[in-house]
Amino acid sequence: MKNAWKIYLLAIVSFLVGTSEYIISGILDKIADSLGITITAAGQLITIFSLVYAVLTPVLMALTAKLERQRLLVYSLGLFVVANLLSFALPGYVPFVIARIIMAMGAGMVVVTALGIAARIAPQGKQASSIATVVMGFTASLIIGVPLGRVTAAAFGWKSVFGLIAVLGIVAMVVLYKAIPKIQGDAPVPLLQQFALLRKPKVALGLGITFFWLGGYSVAYTYLSPYLLSVSGLGEQWISAALFAFGIASLVGSKFGGYSTDRWGVPLTLTFGMIIHILALAMLSVTNASAAAFPVFAMLILWSLSAWSSGPTQQFNLVQLEPEASGVMLGLNQSVMQLSMAAGAGLGGIAVNSISLSSITWLGAAGVAIAVGLALVLFRIGKQGKEAGQTVVSS
């Protein structure tokens, strides 16, 4: 395990990227107040980031496929650092939007390259766990990065968060350049060949589950801080603690999802988790902190546990659908995840503007309900396929 510390270093980089993406939800109200824009306009910063990440990452990775991996990681992280410096230094909404676009381009290449390096330098038989360690950096950004970013923003202003990420990113660039070995690039897989999988009904249904499950989650999560303040009635002093509790629950939910999938299978784990997800959002909408903060915290924890339990289950579900194209499937899933977050944030913004802030939990629950319906159809098709195969064998 001589490369174990290098894999943890990649996880730290993943943490920085995850924090830069998710932190907007934790400081949405502060960004809106500082820039003199609406909560809806601030929420579109998440939509823009996710959309650029989803659309451009496959293209950029295809264009840089032959580039040596250590160099690509450092270059990508450099682009990410520049974007954070621009976020810190430039005034106004439009420059911040431009910085977020650049940040998303760098972030997508950093994450995909880091995952690939982790698999290449891992000991034999430990590739999956090494990839999981890097992915844990994203989860840790919810647990530590978002609430810590909220505290930092309250003390030094929200721009200081991006300045700090930039400084840490520069340190990471130097360490990665020294620590990560030279690794040759791969033969590029044409984009048309990757997208050809989408013509298969089971693949389309599987990715549809991701889109509506995570889209429903994103509708509510994007506007979580203002929702907790204005609708749930939590005081400012409770927000960082609420975000921290939400993050801890996401880690537990991810672990439980993996354990439950191994023990009880994908259909039960995924369906049950999404049903609890729907119920948690519905109950959060009728829970208020006027008497005590505990009920709101309880619903947040239940929501995060159930939502994140679906993450590892859904990834395993997609790998099972096309085991011989598992890498492409996971790559497509990453793009769909970002697209769904963009769509969820966008729909949430429209709802906040046109209906009310309190409507986002109900819209989120509706999105997850569609995902449950798609999952039931997919599992029924899979069951019929197995039964047909058994009939052919027995005859």
Side-chain angles (χ1 to χ4, degrees):
M1 290 295 288
K2 63 180 181 179
N3 285 329
W5 71 275
K6 297 177 184 178
I7 292 168
Y8 281 106
L9 178 60
L10 294 171
I12 293 172
V13 173
S14 175
F15 168 81
L16 291 177
V17 172
T19 300
S20 73
E21 178 173 2
Y22 295 132
I23 189 60
I24 298 295
S25 296
I27 58 176
L28 200 64
D29 54 314
K30 297 186 180 298
I31 293 174
D33 290 342
S34 172
L35 297 179
I37 58 176
T38 64
I39 288 291
T40 303
Q44 298 318 301
L45 293 165
I46 296 175
T47 304
I48 292 165
F49 186 102
S50 298
L51 197 58
V52 172
Y53 188 117
V55 173
L56 290 188
T57 297
V59 176
L60 292 171
M61 292 308 298
L63 291 174
T64 58
K66 294 182 180 179
L67 193 64
E68 190 270 315
R69 299 291 94 177
Q70 180 241 43
R71 184 181 300 176
L72 178 60
L73 181 62
V74 173
Y75 288 171
S76 303
L77 189 56
L79 185 63
F80 173 77
V81 167
V82 167
N84 277 278
L85 287 173
L86 292 175
S87 299
F88 173 74
L90 296 181
Y93 179 69
V94 173
F96 191 38
V97 169
I98 295 171
R100 290 292 288 177
I101 291 172
I102 299 171
M103 196 183 301
M105 292 168 63
M109 290 194 292
V110 167
V111 171
V112 176
T113 307
L115 289 170
I117 291 174
R120 296 277 284 273
I121 67 175
Q124 189 62 33
K126 297 288 185 181
Q127 287 90 346
S129 60
S130 297
I131 290 173
T133 299
V134 177
V135 172
M136 284 292 289
F138 266 92
T139 307
S141 71
L142 273 174
I143 298 169
I144 303 170
V146 173
L148 188 60
R150 179 82 186 186
V151 172
T152 303
F156 304 106
W158 65 268
K159 281 180 172 287
S160 64
V161 175
F162 297 100
L164 180 59
I165 291 174
V167 171
L168 294 174
I170 292 170
V171 174
M173 286 175 65
V174 175
V175 177
L176 288 171
Y177 180 77
K178 297 289 185 182
I180 301 299
K182 303 286 185 182
I183 300 172
Q184 290 303 311
D186 301 316
V189 178
L191 289 174
L192 290 178
Q193 187 177 326
Q194 295 183 36
F195 294 144
L197 286 170
L198 296 174
R199 293 200 296 265
K200 297 185 177 183
K202 288 200 295 185
V203 171
L205 280 170
L207 292 173
I209 293 169
T210 294
F211 184 84
F212 285 102
W213 151 62
L214 197 55
Y217 170 88
S218 181
V219 167
Y221 182 75
T222 299
Y223 298 92
L224 180 58
S225 292
Y227 183 93
L228 293 176
L229 286 166
S230 302
V231 180
S232 296
L234 280 182
E236 172 67 34
Q237 71 275 16
W238 288 108
I239 297 299
S240 293
L243 293 173
F244 182 75
F246 191 93
I248 290 291
S250 72
L251 177 61
V252 176
S254 294
K255 288 290 187 182
F256 176 77
Y259 170 80
S260 177
T261 302
D262 287 339
R263 180 160 188 142
W264 295 298
V266 168
L268 181 63
T269 302
L270 192 58
T271 306
F272 184 73
M274 289 194 292
I275 289 173
I276 298 298
H277 188 163
I278 294 167
L279 294 174
L281 284 172
M283 288 188 287
L284 180 62
S285 67
V286 295
T287 305
N288 195 274
S290 55
F294 174 76
V296 176
F297 271 68
M299 290 306 102
L300 283 174
I301 290 170
L302 183 62
W303 172 24
S304 186
L305 280 170
S306 57
W308 284 86
S309 72
S310 301
T313 312
Q314 173 62 356
Q315 293 201 51
F316 183 67
N317 179 37
L318 291 169
V319 169
Q320 280 188 318
L321 292 179
E322 291 289 332
E324 288 157 6
S326 59
V328 174
M329 286 294 293
L330 292 175
L332 288 172
N333 191 51
Q334 283 291 313
S335 288
V336 170
M337 287 173 71
Q338 293 297 328
L339 282 173
S340 66
M341 291 179 72
L347 180 60
I350 294 170
V352 170
N353 238 13
S354 305
I355 308 173
S356 68
L357 185 57
S358 60
S359 67
I360 59 173
T361 49
W362 294 107
L363 282 172
V368 181
I370 294 173
V372 171
L374 293 176
L376 293 175
V377 173
L378 177 63
F379 298 145
R380 183 175 180 83
I381 291 173
K383 184 178 179 181
Q384 289 173 343
K386 287 181 181 178
E387 290 174 350
Q390 290 171 355
T391 302
V392 171
V393 170
S394 61
S395 61

